[in-house]
Amino acid sequence: GPDDGGVRPPFWHAQDFADCLRRWSADLPAERAHLVVAPPPSAPVDELWRRFADAAGIDAGLVDAAAAPAANPSLGTAEVALLRAVNVELGDRLDTREYNRVVKRGWAEGELAARPGPRPRTPLALAEVLGAATDRWVADVTAAGHPVHGDLADLTPVLAGPGDPLPDEVALPEDLASPAEIASRLIGEAGDGPVDGSSAASRRGPASRRRWWSGPAR
């Protein structure tokens, strides 16, 4: 669980913003460690920049964030399922640099993310676990007195509806090639560009990548 103590799974360690603030402000007054809350998808495109500028004491008007291209686009539910299937077909045949360049940035972010369709949400079955954890973390931040930029309500998990399918439950897009064909194409594209698979870190990349991209969070 999120508060079992000791070494926690990477998911909880990465999501626990209250613990992050404690670590970063260990030798600082609480008011020197700020929490910038990411806005919901429905917010104006420059809202995150405005919150960050407020925290940093920067005039938000110095940058026209509304005109900036979208960053870190999300995948649709069916596209997540397809990416998982392609990862299985790829196996260990691409190192970290190849995978990030060709699969992640070139194909997933460059092609799949542009497709219309519903985006996956947090499974409804996790509402109690994630909601309780979020409530505790918000209470910790509030009690510590950290400055907050944005609405703490935006930290509430965005849950799927009762009948919304998860990536494990949807059919793969019918208008795209099969996972095996896509994997073959991507491997060919990786061979056309500069790669560096000589380092031990690069060779360790695929196993780490599969943990993040190939299956649901545990």
Side-chain angles (χ1 to χ4, degrees):
D3 298 305
D4 290 342
V7 178
R8 297 185 298 176
F11 173 83
W12 290 114
H13 187 71
Q15 299 298 319
D16 188 344
F17 51 87
D19 182 59
C20 178
L21 280 168
R22 278 193 295 270
R23 286 183 275 117
W24 279 83
S25 64
D27 298 320
L28 295 171
E31 62 268 18
R32 296 290 301 277
H34 296 240
L35 175 62
V36 178
V37 181
S42 59
V45 295
D46 61 345
E47 179 60 22
L48 180 58
W49 160 248
R50 292 186 175 278
R51 294 181 182 186
F52 175 81
D54 183 51
I58 301 172
D59 179 5
L62 294 175
V63 174
D64 185 8
N72 194 27
S74 62
L75 302 183
T77 306
E79 286 70 32
V80 171
L82 178 60
L83 177 57
R84 288 177 174 176
V86 169
N87 279 338
V88 172
E89 294 290 341
L90 288 172
D92 291 345
R93 287 182 283 180
L94 298 181
D95 67 25
T96 301
R97 175 180 287 188
E98 291 172 317
Y99 183 87
N100 287 338
R101 176 175 64 84
V102 175
V103 183
K104 183 177 185 293
R105 292 191 295 271
W107 180 59
E109 294 179 356
E111 298 180 31
L112 289 186
R115 292 170 57 85
R119 265 45 186 168
R121 301 297 185 189
T122 301
L124 186 61
L126 296 177
E128 183 176 346
V129 172
L130 297 182
T134 301
D135 290 344
R136 286 193 296 272
W137 299 339
V138 167
D140 288 348
V141 170
T142 303
H146 295 292
V148 176
H149 305 269
D151 190 347
L152 286 172
D154 291 342
L155 295 171
T156 302
V158 179
L159 301 171
D164 291 349
L166 302 176
D168 294 329
E169 303 166 345
V170 299
L172 300 183
E174 296 182 355
D175 59 324
L176 297 179
S178 71
E181 292 170 328
I182 293 172
S184 178
R185 187 197 99 192
L186 295 172
I187 291 171
E189 292 178 4
D192 294 335
V195 298
D196 179 10
S198 60
S199 69
S202 292
R203 290 193 297 270
R204 287 196 300 268
S208 175
R209 172 241 303 167
R210 287 197 303 274
R211 183 172 65 248
W212 288 100
W213 289 86
S214 298
R218 300 298 182 186

